[in-house]
């Protein structure tokens, strides 16, 4: 164990430490995820975050030092989101027939996600800045940070809430859908994926893609719709009221 810690401390001084550590931990977590039969509790993103955070704390490596190397992965988030458009392109005829219902579902889902955060936060007497940071929790983290800043929340907290929300959806979505008896036919996978992308943004979409191609495509669509709708409507609603 001491040898591993010494190796970690030695590697932490190199520029590619963050990139190497992230890739290595994620590959191992991903292998364990498939070995566990893609069980929700084995989510590779969750375990990668836990292992890396524990490693940084145990060895005293600062987050800026880690991120100096890991920022290349951060850069790839943009192309990864754009790549979500490919499965939608393959289903363009189907989406043309359903665009009206999908838009209504996205508006309803986004309103419930933001409205329930606001309502529960105020019912429990949370500070105003905390409540406002919770409102965009179902939008992908970079967009949630921008929205929180516009409405008076704390961007860093908004990012934390967004990640937690995504992980909760990825971990428990399967069980909720089963309890609601949503089928696993073509219509059911589309509904499951769209709901997961609406509530749990990219982390939910990643989970949906692992489970079913149709669910992944609709989760990607829901993720994109929430980004557009939330970034336009949440600041507008707070400005008006």
């Amino acid at each position: 164990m001491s040898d591993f810690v010494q190796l970690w401390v030695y590697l932490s001084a190199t520029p590619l430490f963050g990139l190497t550590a992230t890739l290595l931990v994620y590959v191992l977590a991903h292998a364990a995820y498939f070995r566990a039969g893609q069980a929700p509790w084995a989510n590779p993103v969750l375990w990668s975050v836990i292992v890396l955070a524990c490693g940084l704390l145990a060895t005293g490596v600062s987050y800026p030092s880690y991120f100096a190397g890991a920022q290349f992965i951060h850069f790839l988030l943009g192309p990864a989101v754009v790549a979500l458009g490919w499965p939608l392109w393959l289903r363009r005829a189907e989406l043309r027939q359903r665009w009206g219902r999908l838009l209504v579902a996205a508006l309803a889902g986004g309103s419930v996600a933001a409205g329930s955060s606001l309502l529960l936060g105020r019912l429990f007497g949370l500070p105003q800045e905390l409540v406002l940071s919770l409102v965009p929790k179902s939008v992908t983290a970079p967009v949630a940070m921008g929205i929180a800043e516009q409405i008076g929340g704390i961007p860093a907290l908004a990012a934390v809430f967004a990640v937690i929300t995504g992980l909760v959806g990825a971990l428990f979505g399967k069980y909720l859908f089963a309890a609601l008896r949503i089928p696993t036919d073509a219509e059911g996978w589309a509904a499951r994926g769209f709901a997961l992308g609406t509530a749990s943004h990219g982390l939910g979409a990643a989970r949906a893609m692992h489970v079913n191609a149709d669910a992944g495509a609709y989760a990607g669509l829901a993720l994109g719709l929430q980004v557009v709708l939330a970034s336009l409507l949440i600041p507008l609603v707070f400005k008006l009221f």
Side-chain angles (χ1 to χ4, degrees), residues 36-212:
Q38 301 184 39
W41 59 266
N43 188 289
V45 175
L46 171 65
W47 288 105
S48 297
V49 170
I50 291 174
V51 171
L52 287 169
C54 290
L56 294 179
L57 288 172
T59 56
V61 177
S62 66
Y63 181 75
S65 297
Y66 160 76
F67 190 70
Q71 60 184 331
F72 179 68
I73 296 176
H74 185 262
F75 167 77
L76 290 177
L77 282 175
V81 172
V82 174
L84 291 173
W86 176 246
L88 298 176
W89 173 255
L90 296 177
R91 295 165 176 79
R92 56 190 182 280
E94 184 180 332
L95 294 178
R96 271 198 295 268
Q97 295 175 348
R98 297 178 169 178
W99 70 269
R101 285 176 287 170
L102 291 171
L103 183 58
V104 171
L107 279 169
S111 299
V112 170
S116 60
S117 302
L118 190 63
L119 181 62
L120 289 173
R122 289 187 171 164
L123 281 176
F124 285 100
L126 297 179
Q128 179 72 354
E129 286 188 331
L130 197 60
V131 175
L132 295 178
S133 304
L134 269 169
V135 169
K137 64 178 176 50
S138 289
V139 188
T140 190
V143 180
M145 293 172 71
I147 294 173
E149 189 172 21
Q150 287 187 53
I151 63 177
I154 303 171
L157 273 181
V160 172
F161 292 143
V163 171
I164 292 174
T165 302
L167 287 173
V168 169
L171 289 171
F172 300 107
K174 173 184 177 181
Y175 306 113
L176 178 62
F177 296 143
L180 294 174
R181 298 184 179 180
I182 299 176
T184 52
D185 55 13
E187 294 292 325
W189 283 122
R192 287 177 179 229
F194 197 82
L196 209 49
T198 298
S200 302
H201 49 82
L203 292 173
R207 167 66 187 171
M209 284 184 175
H210 283 155
V211 176
N212 181 271

Side-chain angles (χ1 to χ4, degrees), residues 211-231:
V211 176
N212 181 271
D214 285 331
Y218 277 88
L221 174 62
L223 158 69
L225 285 173
Q226 288 308 314
V227 166
V228 175
L229 294 173
S231 60

Side-chain angles (χ1 to χ4, degrees), residues 18-38:
L19 178 63
T20 306
T22 304
L23 290 177
L24 179 62
V25 171
Y26 183 78
V27 167
L28 292 174
H30 197 261
Y33 173 66
F34 275 90
R35 193 173 182 82
Q38 301 184 39

